[in-house]
Amino acid sequence: MAAANVSFPCDQEGVKQLLPHRDPFLWVTRILECDPGKSIVAELDVSPDLPLFAGHFPGQPVFPGVLIMEALAQAACCCIFADPAREVGIGYFAGIDKGRFRETVLPGDTIRLEATILQSGKRFCKADVKAYKGDAVAAEALQKYMLAS
């Protein structure tokens, strides 16, 4: 795919220009700030209508930590693919180190997704990622991605 031409801030339509993900597996609602190839601040509105809440957990719904990690990876890949020198592609998880979950994310919450790209090559990237619920860190990790066109 060609390089994306997205300006920031942007809504989910801009996100769709940077990622191949679509509903029901698109976990970035909007991008607030982006320094392409370096850092990003995005958000995810956790809809109370998500079908997953019926089973995770009945009567006490919680947004799964694994999906918080996915949302962080999607935000980081938006940052990577926003770089005009890079073609839009797909970022595959290559690893998650130092993953921690600190706050419960509930239906109706908005989480802020922040990523700083630590290493970026043609086929491999590493990012320091944090998800915030208000001012509290909900999750954090060092994520690694393999990149494909």
Side-chain angles (χ1 to χ4, degrees), residues 28-68:
V28 178
T29 305
R30 71 191 65 79
I31 299 171
L32 303 176
E33 305 170 20
C34 183
D35 185 357
K38 296 180 181 172
S39 64
I40 192 165
V41 179
E43 289 181 329
L44 169 63
D45 296 329
V46 180
S47 171
D49 299 328
L50 290 170
L52 62 90
F53 289 128
H56 197 263
F57 299 96
Q60 194 174 2
V62 174
F63 192 66
V66 67
L67 292 180
I68 297 170

PDB file of all heavy atoms in Angstrom, residues 28-68:
ATOM      1  N   VAL A  28      -8.998   1.695  17.874  1.00  0.00           N
ATOM      2  CA  VAL A  28      -8.575   3.086  18.019  1.00  0.00           C
ATOM      3  C   VAL A  28      -9.730   3.950  17.512  1.00  0.00           C
ATOM      4  O   VAL A  28     -10.112   3.843  16.345  1.00  0.00           O
ATOM      5  CB  VAL A  28      -7.284   3.399  17.230  1.00  0.00           C
ATOM      6  CG1 VAL A  28      -6.909   4.871  17.356  1.00  0.00           C
ATOM      7  CG2 VAL A  28      -6.131   2.521  17.704  1.00  0.00           C
ATOM      8  N   THR A  29     -10.290   4.780  18.375  1.00  0.00           N
ATOM      9  CA  THR A  29     -11.424   5.632  18.007  1.00  0.00           C
ATOM     10  C   THR A  29     -10.965   6.904  17.335  1.00  0.00           C
ATOM     11  O   THR A  29     -11.567   7.358  16.360  1.00  0.00           O
ATOM     12  CB  THR A  29     -12.260   5.980  19.255  1.00  0.00           C
ATOM     13  OG1 THR A  29     -12.654   4.764  19.905  1.00  0.00           O
ATOM     14  CG2 THR A  29     -13.494   6.785  18.888  1.00  0.00           C
ATOM     15  N   ARG A  30      -9.886   7.498  17.841  1.00  0.00           N
ATOM     16  CA  ARG A  30      -9.385   8.760  17.291  1.00  0.00           C
ATOM     17  C   ARG A  30      -7.912   8.924  17.646  1.00  0.00           C
ATOM     18  O   ARG A  30      -7.442   8.327  18.615  1.00  0.00           O
ATOM     19  CB  ARG A  30     -10.190   9.951  17.803  1.00  0.00           C
ATOM     20  CG  ARG A  30      -9.993  10.295  19.257  1.00  0.00           C
ATOM     21  CD  ARG A  30     -10.988  11.301  19.812  1.00  0.00           C
ATOM     22  NE  ARG A  30     -12.344  10.813  19.844  1.00  0.00           N
ATOM     23  CZ  ARG A  30     -12.843   9.991  20.769  1.00  0.00           C
ATOM     24  NH1 ARG A  30     -12.063   9.555  21.746  1.00  0.00           N
ATOM     25  NH2 ARG A  30     -14.083   9.586  20.717  1.00  0.00           N
ATOM     26  N   ILE A  31      -7.224   9.755  16.875  1.00  0.00           N
ATOM     27  CA  ILE A  31      -5.842  10.125  17.168  1.00  0.00           C
ATOM     28  C   ILE A  31      -5.837  11.599  17.544  1.00  0.00           C
ATOM     29  O   ILE A  31      -6.313  12.445  16.782  1.00  0.00           O
ATOM     30  CB  ILE A  31      -4.908   9.861  15.969  1.00  0.00           C
ATOM     31  CG1 ILE A  31      -4.912   8.367  15.619  1.00  0.00           C
ATOM     32  CG2 ILE A  31      -3.495  10.361  16.276  1.00  0.00           C
ATOM     33  CD1 ILE A  31      -4.190   8.020  14.333  1.00  0.00           C
ATOM     34  N   LEU A  32      -5.312  11.893  18.732  1.00  0.00           N
ATOM     35  CA  LEU A  32      -5.259  13.274  19.224  1.00  0.00           C
ATOM     36  C   LEU A  32      -3.998  13.995  18.756  1.00  0.00           C
ATOM     37  O   LEU A  32      -4.042  15.157  18.361  1.00  0.00           O
ATOM     38  CB  LEU A  32      -5.328  13.295  20.750  1.00  0.00           C
ATOM     39  CG  LEU A  32      -6.546  12.609  21.373  1.00  0.00           C
ATOM     40  CD1 LEU A  32      -6.439  12.621  22.889  1.00  0.00           C
ATOM     41  CD2 LEU A  32      -7.831  13.264  20.907  1.00  0.00           C
ATOM     42  N   GLU A  33      -2.866  13.294  18.841  1.00  0.00           N
ATOM     43  CA  GLU A  33      -1.568  13.862  18.469  1.00  0.00           C
ATOM     44  C   GLU A  33      -0.725  12.760  17.849  1.00  0.00           C
ATOM     45  O   GLU A  33      -0.797  11.612  18.279  1.00  0.00           O
ATOM     46  CB  GLU A  33      -0.796  14.361  19.694  1.00  0.00           C
ATOM     47  CG  GLU A  33      -1.502  15.341  20.561  1.00  0.00           C
ATOM     48  CD  GLU A  33      -0.742  15.565  21.881  1.00  0.00           C
ATOM     49  OE1 GLU A  33       0.468  15.273  21.971  1.00  0.00           O
ATOM     50  OE2 GLU A  33      -1.394  16.043  22.822  1.00  0.00           O
ATOM     51  N   CYS A  34       0.097  13.146  16.886  1.00  0.00           N
ATOM     52  CA  CYS A  34       1.031  12.168  16.325  1.00  0.00           C
ATOM     53  C   CYS A  34       2.238  12.893  15.757  1.00  0.00           C
ATOM     54  O   CYS A  34       2.103  13.843  14.980  1.00  0.00           O
ATOM     55  CB  CYS A  34       0.356  11.338  15.233  1.00  0.00           C
ATOM     56  SG  CYS A  34       1.420  10.045  14.551  1.00  0.00           S
ATOM     57  N   ASP A  35       3.402  12.450  16.186  1.00  0.00           N
ATOM     58  CA  ASP A  35       4.662  12.835  15.573  1.00  0.00           C
ATOM     59  C   ASP A  35       5.073  11.595  14.784  1.00  0.00           C
ATOM     60  O   ASP A  35       5.616  10.641  15.366  1.00  0.00           O
ATOM     61  CB  ASP A  35       5.691  13.203  16.649  1.00  0.00           C
ATOM     62  CG  ASP A  35       6.985  13.730  16.070  1.00  0.00           C
ATOM     63  OD1 ASP A  35       7.123  13.760  14.825  1.00  0.00           O
ATOM     64  OD2 ASP A  35       7.873  14.102  16.854  1.00  0.00           O
ATOM     65  N   PRO A  36       4.736  11.533  13.487  1.00  0.00           N
ATOM     66  CA  PRO A  36       4.889  10.303  12.704  1.00  0.00           C
ATOM     67  C   PRO A  36       6.250   9.627  12.877  1.00  0.00           C
ATOM     68  O   PRO A  36       7.294  10.262  12.772  1.00  0.00           O
ATOM     69  CB  PRO A  36       4.674  10.777  11.264  1.00  0.00           C
ATOM     70  CG  PRO A  36       3.742  11.940  11.413  1.00  0.00           C
ATOM     71  CD  PRO A  36       4.227  12.630  12.668  1.00  0.00           C
ATOM     72  N   GLY A  37       6.169   8.336  13.178  1.00  0.00           N
ATOM     73  CA  GLY A  37       7.370   7.537  13.372  1.00  0.00           C
ATOM     74  C   GLY A  37       8.017   7.697  14.729  1.00  0.00           C
ATOM     75  O   GLY A  37       8.989   7.008  15.039  1.00  0.00           O
ATOM     76  N   LYS A  38       7.462   8.587  15.588  1.00  0.00           N
ATOM     77  CA  LYS A  38       8.097   8.851  16.882  1.00  0.00           C
ATOM     78  C   LYS A  38       7.166   8.631  18.071  1.00  0.00           C
ATOM     79  O   LYS A  38       7.513   7.908  18.997  1.00  0.00           O
ATOM     80  CB  LYS A  38       8.659  10.265  16.911  1.00  0.00           C
ATOM     81  CG  LYS A  38       9.778  10.465  15.903  1.00  0.00           C
ATOM     82  CD  LYS A  38      10.324  11.862  15.957  1.00  0.00           C
ATOM     83  CE  LYS A  38      11.418  11.985  14.890  1.00  0.00           C
ATOM     84  NZ  LYS A  38      11.871  13.334  14.727  1.00  0.00           N
ATOM     85  N   SER A  39       5.989   9.272  18.074  1.00  0.00           N
ATOM     86  CA  SER A  39       5.081   9.133  19.212  1.00  0.00           C
ATOM     87  C   SER A  39       3.646   9.431  18.799  1.00  0.00           C
ATOM     88  O   SER A  39       3.409  10.105  17.789  1.00  0.00           O
ATOM     89  CB  SER A  39       5.494  10.055  20.359  1.00  0.00           C
ATOM     90  OG  SER A  39       5.373  11.400  19.970  1.00  0.00           O
ATOM     91  N   ILE A  40       2.719   8.939  19.619  1.00  0.00           N
ATOM     92  CA  ILE A  40       1.297   9.111  19.324  1.00  0.00           C
ATOM     93  C   ILE A  40       0.502   9.152  20.621  1.00  0.00           C
ATOM     94  O   ILE A  40       0.892   8.531  21.622  1.00  0.00           O
ATOM     95  CB  ILE A  40       0.783   7.976  18.411  1.00  0.00           C
ATOM     96  CG1 ILE A  40      -0.616   8.299  17.864  1.00  0.00           C
ATOM     97  CG2 ILE A  40       0.806   6.629  19.130  1.00  0.00           C
ATOM     98  CD1 ILE A  40      -1.023   7.407  16.699  1.00  0.00           C
ATOM     99  N   VAL A  41      -0.594   9.889  20.587  1.00  0.00           N
ATOM    100  CA  VAL A  41      -1.604   9.882  21.642  1.00  0.00           C
ATOM    101  C   VAL A  41      -2.935   9.664  20.937  1.00  0.00           C
ATOM    102  O   VAL A  41      -3.318  10.459  20.061  1.00  0.00           O
ATOM    103  CB  VAL A  41      -1.635  11.201  22.448  1.00  0.00           C
ATOM    104  CG1 VAL A  41      -2.729  11.146  23.511  1.00  0.00           C
ATOM    105  CG2 VAL A  41      -0.276  11.481  23.089  1.00  0.00           C
ATOM    106  N   ALA A  42      -3.607   8.589  21.286  1.00  0.00           N
ATOM    107  CA  ALA A  42      -4.888   8.233  20.670  1.00  0.00           C
ATOM    108  C   ALA A  42      -5.868   7.865  21.777  1.00  0.00           C
ATOM    109  O   ALA A  42      -5.502   7.825  22.955  1.00  0.00           O
ATOM    110  CB  ALA A  42      -4.692   7.066  19.698  1.00  0.00           C
ATOM    111  N   GLU A  43      -7.109   7.610  21.389  1.00  0.00           N
ATOM    112  CA  GLU A  43      -8.114   7.208  22.370  1.00  0.00           C
ATOM    113  C   GLU A  43      -8.961   6.064  21.836  1.00  0.00           C
ATOM    114  O   GLU A  43      -9.146   5.927  20.622  1.00  0.00           O
ATOM    115  CB  GLU A  43      -9.050   8.373  22.723  1.00  0.00           C
ATOM    116  CG  GLU A  43      -8.404   9.444  23.549  1.00  0.00           C
ATOM    117  CD  GLU A  43      -9.361  10.574  23.913  1.00  0.00           C
ATOM    118  OE1 GLU A  43     -10.289  10.863  23.125  1.00  0.00           O
ATOM    119  OE2 GLU A  43      -9.149  11.167  24.988  1.00  0.00           O
ATOM    120  N   LEU A  44      -9.483   5.307  22.781  1.00  0.00           N
ATOM    121  CA  LEU A  44     -10.468   4.258  22.497  1.00  0.00           C
ATOM    122  C   LEU A  44     -11.659   4.492  23.404  1.00  0.00           C
ATOM    123  O   LEU A  44     -11.506   4.529  24.628  1.00  0.00           O
ATOM    124  CB  LEU A  44      -9.886   2.865  22.759  1.00  0.00           C
ATOM    125  CG  LEU A  44     -10.909   1.718  22.756  1.00  0.00           C
ATOM    126  CD1 LEU A  44     -11.580   1.571  21.390  1.00  0.00           C
ATOM    127  CD2 LEU A  44     -10.255   0.416  23.176  1.00  0.00           C
ATOM    128  N   ASP A  45     -12.839   4.666  22.790  1.00  0.00           N
ATOM    129  CA  ASP A  45     -14.084   4.718  23.542  1.00  0.00           C
ATOM    130  C   ASP A  45     -14.567   3.277  23.689  1.00  0.00           C
ATOM    131  O   ASP A  45     -14.853   2.625  22.678  1.00  0.00           O
ATOM    132  CB  ASP A  45     -15.141   5.543  22.805  1.00  0.00           C
ATOM    133  CG  ASP A  45     -14.752   7.007  22.656  1.00  0.00           C
ATOM    134  OD1 ASP A  45     -14.040   7.525  23.543  1.00  0.00           O
ATOM    135  OD2 ASP A  45     -15.172   7.629  21.661  1.00  0.00           O
ATOM    136  N   VAL A  46     -14.639   2.789  24.909  1.00  0.00           N
ATOM    137  CA  VAL A  46     -15.042   1.403  25.168  1.00  0.00           C
ATOM    138  C   VAL A  46     -16.565   1.368  25.235  1.00  0.00           C
ATOM    139  O   VAL A  46     -17.161   1.720  26.254  1.00  0.00           O
ATOM    140  CB  VAL A  46     -14.406   0.867  26.467  1.00  0.00           C
ATOM    141  CG1 VAL A  46     -14.832  -0.567  26.708  1.00  0.00           C
ATOM    142  CG2 VAL A  46     -12.880   0.979  26.400  1.00  0.00           C
ATOM    143  N   SER A  47     -17.181   0.964  24.140  1.00  0.00           N
ATOM    144  CA  SER A  47     -18.639   0.963  24.040  1.00  0.00           C
ATOM    145  C   SER A  47     -19.266  -0.076  24.970  1.00  0.00           C
ATOM    146  O   SER A  47     -18.859  -1.248  24.958  1.00  0.00           O
ATOM    147  CB  SER A  47     -19.070   0.672  22.602  1.00  0.00           C
ATOM    148  OG  SER A  47     -20.465   0.477  22.544  1.00  0.00           O
ATOM    149  N   PRO A  48     -20.269   0.319  25.742  1.00  0.00           N
ATOM    150  CA  PRO A  48     -20.968  -0.643  26.600  1.00  0.00           C
ATOM    151  C   PRO A  48     -21.740  -1.680  25.795  1.00  0.00           C
ATOM    152  O   PRO A  48     -22.148  -2.706  26.337  1.00  0.00           O
ATOM    153  CB  PRO A  48     -21.936   0.225  27.416  1.00  0.00           C
ATOM    154  CG  PRO A  48     -21.543   1.627  27.189  1.00  0.00           C
ATOM    155  CD  PRO A  48     -20.719   1.683  25.940  1.00  0.00           C
ATOM    156  N   ASP A  49     -21.916  -1.439  24.488  1.00  0.00           N
ATOM    157  CA  ASP A  49     -22.684  -2.345  23.633  1.00  0.00           C
ATOM    158  C   ASP A  49     -21.855  -3.478  23.039  1.00  0.00           C
ATOM    159  O   ASP A  49     -22.395  -4.293  22.287  1.00  0.00           O
ATOM    160  CB  ASP A  49     -23.342  -1.551  22.498  1.00  0.00           C
ATOM    161  CG  ASP A  49     -24.301  -0.491  23.012  1.00  0.00           C
ATOM    162  OD1 ASP A  49     -24.931  -0.719  24.070  1.00  0.00           O
ATOM    163  OD2 ASP A  49     -24.410   0.563  22.364  1.00  0.00           O
ATOM    164  N   LEU A  50     -20.577  -3.553  23.350  1.00  0.00           N
ATOM    165  CA  LEU A  50     -19.739  -4.620  22.793  1.00  0.00           C
ATOM    166  C   LEU A  50     -20.258  -5.984  23.235  1.00  0.00           C
ATOM    167  O   LEU A  50     -20.461  -6.215  24.440  1.00  0.00           O
ATOM    168  CB  LEU A  50     -18.285  -4.455  23.237  1.00  0.00           C
ATOM    169  CG  LEU A  50     -17.524  -3.274  22.645  1.00  0.00           C
ATOM    170  CD1 LEU A  50     -16.177  -3.095  23.354  1.00  0.00           C
ATOM    171  CD2 LEU A  50     -17.310  -3.488  21.156  1.00  0.00           C
ATOM    172  N   PRO A  51     -20.465  -6.904  22.300  1.00  0.00           N
ATOM    173  CA  PRO A  51     -20.982  -8.230  22.653  1.00  0.00           C
ATOM    174  C   PRO A  51     -20.088  -8.994  23.639  1.00  0.00           C
ATOM    175  O   PRO A  51     -20.578  -9.826  24.395  1.00  0.00           O
ATOM    176  CB  PRO A  51     -21.048  -8.972  21.314  1.00  0.00           C
ATOM    177  CG  PRO A  51     -21.031  -7.910  20.269  1.00  0.00           C
ATOM    178  CD  PRO A  51     -20.315  -6.729  20.858  1.00  0.00           C
ATOM    179  N   LEU A  52     -18.797  -8.693  23.675  1.00  0.00           N
ATOM    180  CA  LEU A  52     -17.883  -9.419  24.556  1.00  0.00           C
ATOM    181  C   LEU A  52     -18.235  -9.237  26.026  1.00  0.00           C
ATOM    182  O   LEU A  52     -17.908 -10.088  26.861  1.00  0.00           O
ATOM    183  CB  LEU A  52     -16.424  -9.024  24.299  1.00  0.00           C
ATOM    184  CG  LEU A  52     -16.016  -7.576  24.536  1.00  0.00           C
ATOM    185  CD1 LEU A  52     -15.554  -7.348  25.962  1.00  0.00           C
ATOM    186  CD2 LEU A  52     -14.934  -7.193  23.569  1.00  0.00           C
ATOM    187  N   PHE A  53     -18.920  -8.140  26.383  1.00  0.00           N
ATOM    188  CA  PHE A  53     -19.261  -7.911  27.785  1.00  0.00           C
ATOM    189  C   PHE A  53     -20.287  -8.907  28.320  1.00  0.00           C
ATOM    190  O   PHE A  53     -20.395  -9.080  29.533  1.00  0.00           O
ATOM    191  CB  PHE A  53     -19.733  -6.469  28.005  1.00  0.00           C
ATOM    192  CG  PHE A  53     -18.625  -5.462  27.895  1.00  0.00           C
ATOM    193  CD1 PHE A  53     -18.745  -4.369  27.064  1.00  0.00           C
ATOM    194  CD2 PHE A  53     -17.442  -5.611  28.620  1.00  0.00           C
ATOM    195  CE1 PHE A  53     -17.730  -3.432  26.958  1.00  0.00           C
ATOM    196  CE2 PHE A  53     -16.417  -4.683  28.518  1.00  0.00           C
ATOM    197  CZ  PHE A  53     -16.563  -3.590  27.688  1.00  0.00           C
ATOM    198  N   ALA A  54     -21.018  -9.574  27.434  1.00  0.00           N
ATOM    199  CA  ALA A  54     -21.981 -10.585  27.883  1.00  0.00           C
ATOM    200  C   ALA A  54     -21.283 -11.768  28.551  1.00  0.00           C
ATOM    201  O   ALA A  54     -21.857 -12.427  29.412  1.00  0.00           O
ATOM    202  CB  ALA A  54     -22.826 -11.074  26.707  1.00  0.00           C
ATOM    203  N   GLY A  55     -20.027 -12.019  28.160  1.00  0.00           N
ATOM    204  CA  GLY A  55     -19.312 -13.168  28.712  1.00  0.00           C
ATOM    205  C   GLY A  55     -18.085 -12.823  29.521  1.00  0.00           C
ATOM    206  O   GLY A  55     -17.462 -13.697  30.109  1.00  0.00           O
ATOM    207  N   HIS A  56     -17.714 -11.553  29.578  1.00  0.00           N
ATOM    208  CA  HIS A  56     -16.474 -11.153  30.274  1.00  0.00           C
ATOM    209  C   HIS A  56     -16.745  -9.981  31.199  1.00  0.00           C
ATOM    210  O   HIS A  56     -16.435  -8.841  30.854  1.00  0.00           O
ATOM    211  CB  HIS A  56     -15.407 -10.764  29.243  1.00  0.00           C
ATOM    212  CG  HIS A  56     -14.017 -10.732  29.786  1.00  0.00           C
ATOM    213  ND1 HIS A  56     -13.405  -9.570  30.214  1.00  0.00           N
ATOM    214  CD2 HIS A  56     -13.113 -11.709  29.976  1.00  0.00           C
ATOM    215  CE1 HIS A  56     -12.178  -9.834  30.614  1.00  0.00           C
ATOM    216  NE2 HIS A  56     -11.974 -11.123  30.479  1.00  0.00           N
ATOM    217  N   PHE A  57     -17.265 -10.076  32.259  1.00  0.00           N
ATOM    218  CA  PHE A  57     -17.843 -11.199  32.986  1.00  0.00           C
ATOM    219  C   PHE A  57     -19.325 -10.911  33.214  1.00  0.00           C
ATOM    220  O   PHE A  57     -19.643  -9.754  33.513  1.00  0.00           O
ATOM    221  CB  PHE A  57     -17.133 -11.380  34.326  1.00  0.00           C
ATOM    222  CG  PHE A  57     -15.659 -11.679  34.177  1.00  0.00           C
ATOM    223  CD1 PHE A  57     -14.711 -10.671  34.251  1.00  0.00           C
ATOM    224  CD2 PHE A  57     -15.228 -12.968  33.930  1.00  0.00           C
ATOM    225  CE1 PHE A  57     -13.357 -10.946  34.122  1.00  0.00           C
ATOM    226  CE2 PHE A  57     -13.873 -13.257  33.807  1.00  0.00           C
ATOM    227  CZ  PHE A  57     -12.935 -12.243  33.892  1.00  0.00           C
ATOM    228  N   PRO A  58     -20.220 -11.898  33.104  1.00  0.00           N
ATOM    229  CA  PRO A  58     -21.649 -11.640  33.297  1.00  0.00           C
ATOM    230  C   PRO A  58     -21.914 -10.979  34.656  1.00  0.00           C
ATOM    231  O   PRO A  58     -21.461 -11.447  35.692  1.00  0.00           O
ATOM    232  CB  PRO A  58     -22.270 -13.035  33.237  1.00  0.00           C
ATOM    233  CG  PRO A  58     -21.308 -13.837  32.419  1.00  0.00           C
ATOM    234  CD  PRO A  58     -19.944 -13.294  32.778  1.00  0.00           C
ATOM    235  N   GLY A  59     -22.615  -9.857  34.607  1.00  0.00           N
ATOM    236  CA  GLY A  59     -22.942  -9.134  35.824  1.00  0.00           C
ATOM    237  C   GLY A  59     -21.854  -8.198  36.312  1.00  0.00           C
ATOM    238  O   GLY A  59     -22.093  -7.344  37.164  1.00  0.00           O
ATOM    239  N   GLN A  60     -20.643  -8.355  35.829  1.00  0.00           N
ATOM    240  CA  GLN A  60     -19.524  -7.495  36.216  1.00  0.00           C
ATOM    241  C   GLN A  60     -18.571  -7.351  35.025  1.00  0.00           C
ATOM    242  O   GLN A  60     -17.437  -7.828  35.055  1.00  0.00           O
ATOM    243  CB  GLN A  60     -18.787  -8.095  37.421  1.00  0.00           C
ATOM    244  CG  GLN A  60     -17.843  -7.129  38.071  1.00  0.00           C
ATOM    245  CD  GLN A  60     -17.251  -7.713  39.356  1.00  0.00           C
ATOM    246  OE1 GLN A  60     -17.513  -8.851  39.731  1.00  0.00           O
ATOM    247  NE2 GLN A  60     -16.442  -6.921  40.012  1.00  0.00           N
ATOM    248  N   PRO A  61     -19.027  -6.671  33.949  1.00  0.00           N
ATOM    249  CA  PRO A  61     -18.242  -6.616  32.716  1.00  0.00           C
ATOM    250  C   PRO A  61     -16.924  -5.850  32.873  1.00  0.00           C
ATOM    251  O   PRO A  61     -16.874  -4.821  33.532  1.00  0.00           O
ATOM    252  CB  PRO A  61     -19.178  -5.914  31.732  1.00  0.00           C
ATOM    253  CG  PRO A  61     -20.145  -5.167  32.575  1.00  0.00           C
ATOM    254  CD  PRO A  61     -20.268  -5.921  33.861  1.00  0.00           C
ATOM    255  N   VAL A  62     -15.884  -6.408  32.236  1.00  0.00           N
ATOM    256  CA  VAL A  62     -14.540  -5.829  32.242  1.00  0.00           C
ATOM    257  C   VAL A  62     -13.986  -5.924  30.821  1.00  0.00           C
ATOM    258  O   VAL A  62     -14.110  -6.967  30.174  1.00  0.00           O
ATOM    259  CB  VAL A  62     -13.620  -6.600  33.227  1.00  0.00           C
ATOM    260  CG1 VAL A  62     -12.190  -6.096  33.139  1.00  0.00           C
ATOM    261  CG2 VAL A  62     -14.145  -6.510  34.643  1.00  0.00           C
ATOM    262  N   PHE A  63     -13.378  -4.841  30.343  1.00  0.00           N
ATOM    263  CA  PHE A  63     -12.724  -4.871  29.034  1.00  0.00           C
ATOM    264  C   PHE A  63     -11.441  -5.685  29.166  1.00  0.00           C
ATOM    265  O   PHE A  63     -10.597  -5.390  30.022  1.00  0.00           O
ATOM    266  CB  PHE A  63     -12.428  -3.445  28.568  1.00  0.00           C
ATOM    267  CG  PHE A  63     -12.021  -3.348  27.128  1.00  0.00           C
ATOM    268  CD1 PHE A  63     -12.909  -3.658  26.114  1.00  0.00           C
ATOM    269  CD2 PHE A  63     -10.748  -2.941  26.784  1.00  0.00           C
ATOM    270  CE1 PHE A  63     -12.539  -3.560  24.778  1.00  0.00           C
ATOM    271  CE2 PHE A  63     -10.356  -2.844  25.456  1.00  0.00           C
ATOM    272  CZ  PHE A  63     -11.255  -3.151  24.452  1.00  0.00           C
ATOM    273  N   PRO A  64     -11.268  -6.727  28.338  1.00  0.00           N
ATOM    274  CA  PRO A  64     -10.115  -7.631  28.486  1.00  0.00           C
ATOM    275  C   PRO A  64      -8.761  -6.945  28.297  1.00  0.00           C
ATOM    276  O   PRO A  64      -8.567  -6.139  27.382  1.00  0.00           O
ATOM    277  CB  PRO A  64     -10.332  -8.677  27.384  1.00  0.00           C
ATOM    278  CG  PRO A  64     -11.786  -8.598  27.058  1.00  0.00           C
ATOM    279  CD  PRO A  64     -12.175  -7.160  27.277  1.00  0.00           C
ATOM    280  N   GLY A  65      -7.822  -7.302  29.160  1.00  0.00           N
ATOM    281  CA  GLY A  65      -6.471  -6.761  29.078  1.00  0.00           C
ATOM    282  C   GLY A  65      -5.801  -7.043  27.747  1.00  0.00           C
ATOM    283  O   GLY A  65      -5.059  -6.209  27.232  1.00  0.00           O
ATOM    284  N   VAL A  66      -6.068  -8.203  27.178  1.00  0.00           N
ATOM    285  CA  VAL A  66      -5.464  -8.540  25.888  1.00  0.00           C
ATOM    286  C   VAL A  66      -5.925  -7.562  24.807  1.00  0.00           C
ATOM    287  O   VAL A  66      -5.161  -7.221  23.900  1.00  0.00           O
ATOM    288  CB  VAL A  66      -5.753 -10.012  25.507  1.00  0.00           C
ATOM    289  CG1 VAL A  66      -7.224 -10.246  25.228  1.00  0.00           C
ATOM    290  CG2 VAL A  66      -4.903 -10.462  24.350  1.00  0.00           C
ATOM    291  N   LEU A  67      -7.160  -7.053  24.916  1.00  0.00           N
ATOM    292  CA  LEU A  67      -7.631  -6.073  23.937  1.00  0.00           C
ATOM    293  C   LEU A  67      -7.052  -4.691  24.203  1.00  0.00           C
ATOM    294  O   LEU A  67      -6.897  -3.896  23.270  1.00  0.00           O
ATOM    295  CB  LEU A  67      -9.165  -6.049  23.907  1.00  0.00           C
ATOM    296  CG  LEU A  67      -9.795  -7.326  23.353  1.00  0.00           C
ATOM    297  CD1 LEU A  67     -11.316  -7.225  23.356  1.00  0.00           C
ATOM    298  CD2 LEU A  67      -9.281  -7.652  21.953  1.00  0.00           C
ATOM    299  N   ILE A  68      -6.723  -4.395  25.448  1.00  0.00           N
ATOM    300  CA  ILE A  68      -6.000  -3.148  25.732  1.00  0.00           C
ATOM    301  C   ILE A  68      -4.635  -3.206  25.058  1.00  0.00           C
ATOM    302  O   ILE A  68      -4.195  -2.238  24.430  1.00  0.00           O
ATOM    303  CB  ILE A  68      -5.862  -2.905  27.247  1.00  0.00           C
ATOM    304  CG1 ILE A  68      -7.239  -2.737  27.894  1.00  0.00           C
ATOM    305  CG2 ILE A  68      -4.983  -1.674  27.521  1.00  0.00           C
ATOM    306  CD1 ILE A  68      -7.207  -2.722  29.418  1.00  0.00           C
TER     307      ILE A  68
END
